[in-house]
Structures are given as structure tokens and as C-alpha cells.
Amino acid sequence: MTGHPTQHLHLDEGALAYDLTGAGPLVVLAHGMGDSRHSYRHLAPALVAAGYRVASLDLRGCGESSLGWTGYSRTDIAGDLIALVRHLSGATGERAVLVGHSISGGAATIAAATAPESIAGLVELAPFTRKQSTDLSGLLRFKRYRSSGTLLGKTLLLGSLPAWMDYLELAYPTKPTDWAAERTRIETTMSEPGRMKVLQAMARSSAADAGAHLPDVRCPVLIVQGSLDPDWADPRAEGERVLAELPAGLGQLALIDGAGHYLHAQVPEQLLPLILPFLTRTLTRA
């Protein structure tokens, strides 16, 4: 899938698929719902080239990871992230930076709050890290926000793969050069028995568990939002709300103009200059 042999971390309930490449301080990449580690196909090689050991993970029930897990909440995913970091750190006890997209941003928050000895920093990309409520004025003012809610609702309630694929078209306001192949890959994977049920379970899970842990985070946090992310009427405002619930001075927020929900796949060349200085500062301290 990535040109590197897939590895597996076997836990009590199932197996997590991941790639591990490079040498240096550890960075773990975690994707959003209905996706896989392949979404980091452009960012991961750039991080390896910059001198990091990079693990790209398929979340439980996603990609090449096994099905049949009892839960798909952010708390469940956080436990998997901690287990992977500890597995890769071994006897050294090395701490890692977690890069979490969407639902994994919330999971990374929980991981950092509950296992500070393992997590040195967080990069949260378009994160769902707080309990969400519908912005009624935003529904009236922003068509992209209204359309996103409709398509995600059809996906959640009906398990509609066409609705999910239409949502992705909206969430990528501009497309990567390899989007046609990537879209086909996602559609094929999500057509596998059980994969849509996982997406629905993740979509039903509340981000309240992550929000409750925001005041407990003790490591640096970088939040990156796309200005055209359809999941919020005002993506910057959502990022500012997350910052406000972190301990003072820990977080910083960056906005990438014209980017949608999938910043790491859509605009890796703009995201990398934000992440690299953060990694240098954070992992030097670790």
C-alpha cells in the first residue's frame, strides 16, 4: 500500500495495521473516520526526509486493521495510540508526537492527558476535540456547512456510501493530483463488509470525552484548521475554542487559507512548514 511492509500490533480485541519508516524521534500519524493511513501518503515521506521515525496507523476497524472491536470512541482510539507508542518505544521509553486528524485529534488529546510519560506533543488537524452543537446561523449563511451536515447525516443514519463520497468531494475544495485514484481506493475499502458500520459508530461517538481532558493536557499542542473546512461554519473559531480549554500557553493555532477538512492530503506543502518547527521544539525537549 505504501511501498513498505505492513506491520501489525496485536491487542486483546484485534490487530492494528501500521507502517514504520525512517530514523529519529518518533512521530505517529492517525487519520480520521472512513479513511486510512494512506491519507498521509504525501506528508509521511516528507517527515521521514526531515529526520523522523514515522508510524502511520490504520485506526481500529479501518484500512487494513481488523474489524470486530467493541468500541470506536475517542477514548478507545486513544488507548490504541498509547499502545502503539509504547510498543515502538520499547525499553527506551521514548516519547512521541501524535498527529491526529479529525476524530483522532480528540483521541490524541485523551492520550496526552492520560499518558503524559508517552506523549511529548500533539498536532491536531481539523480536530473534533469538543462536544459539537449545530450552528443554526451558520446553516443559513454557509452552503458548504449546510451541505456537509446533510451528507454526513445521510452517512450516519443510512450508511450511504454515495453520500460519504459526495461529502469527500466537498471536504476537498481543491483536489490532490492523485485524487481520482485515491477516491477509487477509498470507495473500494469502504465497500468492504463492516467498514461502513465502523464509520457510523465513529460518527455517533461524542467528542465530550476528549473535551473533558483538554484541561489535563500538559504538552505543547499545534492546531491547524482549513478556512474552507465544511464541518464548521467558522473553522478558526472552533480552533480558538479548543485553545481556550487547554491550559494557558500550551496551544497555538494556524489557519491554512483555502484548505478543507483533509489538510494533510490536500495541502501537505503548506502544512509541513507548520509542523516541522513544532516537532523541532517539542521533540528536542522530550
Side-chain angles (χ1 to χ4, degrees):
M1 185 163 114
T2 60
H4 300 278
T6 300
Q7 302 188 52
H8 291 88
L9 175 64
H10 294 274
L11 303 177
D12 290 342
E13 290 189 38
L16 299 172
Y18 67 95
D19 294 326
L20 182 65
T21 54
L26 179 61
V27 179
V28 174
L29 309 177
H31 61 82
M33 68 181 192
D35 210 341
S36 75
R37 69 191 193 273
H38 198 258
S39 65
Y40 285 103
R41 64 197 179 278
H42 302 303
L43 188 64
L47 294 174
V48 169
Y52 294 95
R53 185 165 63 121
V54 179
S56 302
L57 171 72
D58 280 342
L59 301 189
R60 50 174 57 201
C62 299
E64 294 181 275
S65 291
S66 63
L67 293 161
W69 304 76
T70 57
Y72 295 94
S73 70
R74 287 159 181 78
T75 298
D76 295 321
I77 296 167
D80 297 342
L81 294 176
I82 294 167
L84 181 61
V85 171
R86 289 175 175 168
H87 172 71
L88 296 176
S89 297
T92 68
E94 175 189 5
R95 293 199 297 161
V97 164
L98 300 180
V99 179
H101 173 243
S102 199
I103 190 173
S104 288
T109 296
I110 298 170
T114 57
E117 74 285 353
S118 297
I119 312 302
L122 304 178
V123 178
E124 301 197 10
L125 308 176
F128 278 92
T129 310
R130 300 170 54 257
K131 184 177 180 180
Q132 300 293 302
S133 59
T134 301
D135 184 335
L136 295 179
S137 65
L139 288 176
L140 295 173
R141 290 184 295 138
F142 299 110
K143 181 180 178 181
R144 67 177 186 277
Y145 178 59
R146 187 165 62 249
S147 298
S148 172
T150 299
L151 293 168
L152 289 174
K154 289 181 179 178
T155 304
L156 170 60
L157 296 175
L158 304 176
S160 170
L161 181 54
W164 177 247
M165 300 311 297
D166 286 346
Y167 163 76
L168 291 179
E169 291 291 336
L170 183 67
Y172 282 86
T174 60
K175 307 296 188 285
T177 56
D178 61 353
W179 175 241
E182 182 67 2
R183 179 189 163 94
T184 298
R185 188 198 61 77
I186 293 171
E187 192 166 19
T188 299
T189 300
M190 292 305 300
S191 298
E192 296 174 2
R195 299 299 181 188
M196 178 56 73
K197 294 293 185 184
V198 172
L199 189 158
Q200 290 175 287
M202 289 183 177
R204 282 194 296 269
S205 68
S206 169
D209 55 352
H213 280 292
L214 280 168
D216 304 323
V217 173
R218 294 294 178 266
C219 64
V221 181
L222 169 64
I223 299 166
V224 188
Q225 298 278 52
S227 68
L228 296 183
D229 191 326
D231 287 357
W232 294 281
D234 187 342
R236 179 191 290 275
E238 177 62 22
E240 290 172 344
R241 293 184 192 104
V242 175
L243 284 185
E245 296 184 27
L246 287 165
L250 278 189
Q252 62 183 107
L253 172 65
L255 187 77
I256 298 181
D257 190 47
H261 192 61
Y262 293 82
L263 308 104
H264 52 301
Q266 184 193 346
V267 289
E269 72 286 348
Q270 295 183 59
L271 183 59
L272 192 65
L274 298 173
I275 291 179
L276 288 181
F278 178 84
L279 293 179
T280 298
R281 294 192 304 270
T282 305
L283 288 171
T284 298
R285 277 203 301 269

